[in-house]
Amino acid sequence: MSGRKKVCIVGSGNWGSAVAIIIGKNTAKSNQFDPIVKMWVYEEMINGRKLTEIINTEHENVKYLPGHKLPENVIAVPNITEASDGADILVFVLPHQFIGRLCDQMKDHVKRDAIGISLIKGIDEGPDGLKLISHIIREKLDIEMCVLMGANIASEVADEKFCETTIGCKNKTHGQILKDLMQTTNFRITVVEECDTVEICGALKNIVAVGAGFCDGLSYGDNTKAAVIRLGLMEMLAFAKLFCKGPVTSATFLESCGVADLVTTCYGGRNRRVAEAFVKTGKSVEELEKEMLNGQKLQGPQTSVEVYKVLKQKNLVDKFPLFAAVFQICYEGRPVRDFITCLQNHPEHL
């Protein structure tokens, strides 16, 4: 990778647009990167106009991040092969349900020495069980993959409120390049080597946040929510040790991708909000997703499905009562009040 590195952002939702603001500003003032950043946008019509056209003329993603200006060097491109062609760095930030199809379209257009970084918080279920999103991308595109996960609510990042994040990257040189691309005064990055641990944190914390939302819906208060966070963190660590290849240390759980992201999601994010509404309205997860999320996808319940399948396969459901209860309440009609029972009977040591 010599010369100025070309960057492509694959995705343009709420988080993708917030990241595009950072990357656009950083590339514009750096000799290390090509100043033109291509951003793949799923084309939609907004009041009779194409979303790409609105972004490229008004420099604002009016659907997913209204009220925030995108730098003018960020160019919206509706065609994925055109957007990714010749890119040295590919930043993946879109709902994980779409990743397979997109990679299939991209694979003949990606440079062999490109590096990818996934900001996608979710997991998939493969024929052999759990599948991390970065692994799916690596297998399909045959490129080196890193991940970025942290306590990063998109609107706050776009408002330039201070936060931290974690990059998991085995190659230290590439880790530094990605840090240069994305770090700002108010978006502070730590690079660690445990990629899989960083990524699994980003997926599993959404399940715990659904549990926190159940507690809010049942009006159980902050003490109960603190217990959900701690027991959820224990299950996250135990799950990571069982399913990640390579080392898993508790130190990584103390980075932003671990405990910080868990806390902020249990108090802020959409999984908590929808889970609270689930308790109060009695509507299904699917109905609430349509009503409350403006086209965005909810990761927590979906991730609980994948995790539950894996736990069942390995005969470990009893060892993860919080993860299991979230799945059973969302999809099998288990009463929400049972969630408190799962906390009361939680094993002390996993």
Side-chain angles (χ1 to χ4, degrees), residues 45-183:
M45 298 303 288
I46 311 287
N47 299 327
R49 291 176 68 195
K50 289 179 177 175
L51 182 55
T52 51
E53 182 204 322
I54 296 169
I55 291 172
N56 289 334
T57 53
E58 289 159 35
H59 309 291
E60 183 183 348
N61 188 334
V62 291
K63 178 160 187 189
Y64 294 111
L65 195 67
H68 293 277
K69 284 290 175 198
L70 295 168
E72 293 190 14
N73 57 319
V74 174
I75 310 298
V77 181
N79 181 303
I80 186 59
T81 52
E82 188 189 326
S84 59
D85 201 13
D88 298 293
I89 298 171
L90 293 156
V91 181
F92 294 91
V93 54
L94 69 163
H96 79 277
Q97 296 91 321
F98 307 125
I99 201 71
R101 187 167 47 84
L102 270 180
C103 285
D104 290 340
Q105 292 171 41
M106 290 166 67
K107 63 179 173 229
D108 298 327
H109 301 266
V110 171
K111 290 172 82 166
R112 291 186 69 92
D113 63 346
I115 55 175
I117 181 163
S118 171
L119 282 63
I120 301 166
K121 291 178 177 175
I123 48 175
D124 217 339
E125 193 223 353
D128 307 319
L130 187 73
K131 203 73 159 158
L132 295 174
I133 305 302
S134 67
H135 291 195
I136 294 170
I137 301 170
R138 184 187 295 123
E139 284 167 20
K140 285 189 174 283
L141 300 183
D142 195 24
I143 59 172
E144 184 196 328
M145 283 299 299
C146 311
V147 294
L148 180 148
M149 305 280 153
N152 310 137
I153 289 172
S155 57
E156 294 182 17
V157 173
D159 285 337
E160 298 187 358
K161 291 174 177 168
F162 177 80
C163 66
E164 300 177 305
T165 200
T166 313
I167 286 178
C169 182
K170 291 186 175 76
N171 180 315
K172 283 189 175 158
T173 308
H174 290 167
Q176 187 57 51
I177 291 168
L178 293 168
K179 186 172 180 172
D180 292 345
L181 176 67
M182 300 176 84
Q183 179 159 270

Side-chain angles (χ1 to χ4, degrees), residues 14-29:
N14 183 241
W15 185 210
S17 299
V19 166
I21 294 172
I22 290 174
I23 289 176
K25 286 179 180 175
N26 280 356
T27 52
K29 61 187 185 199

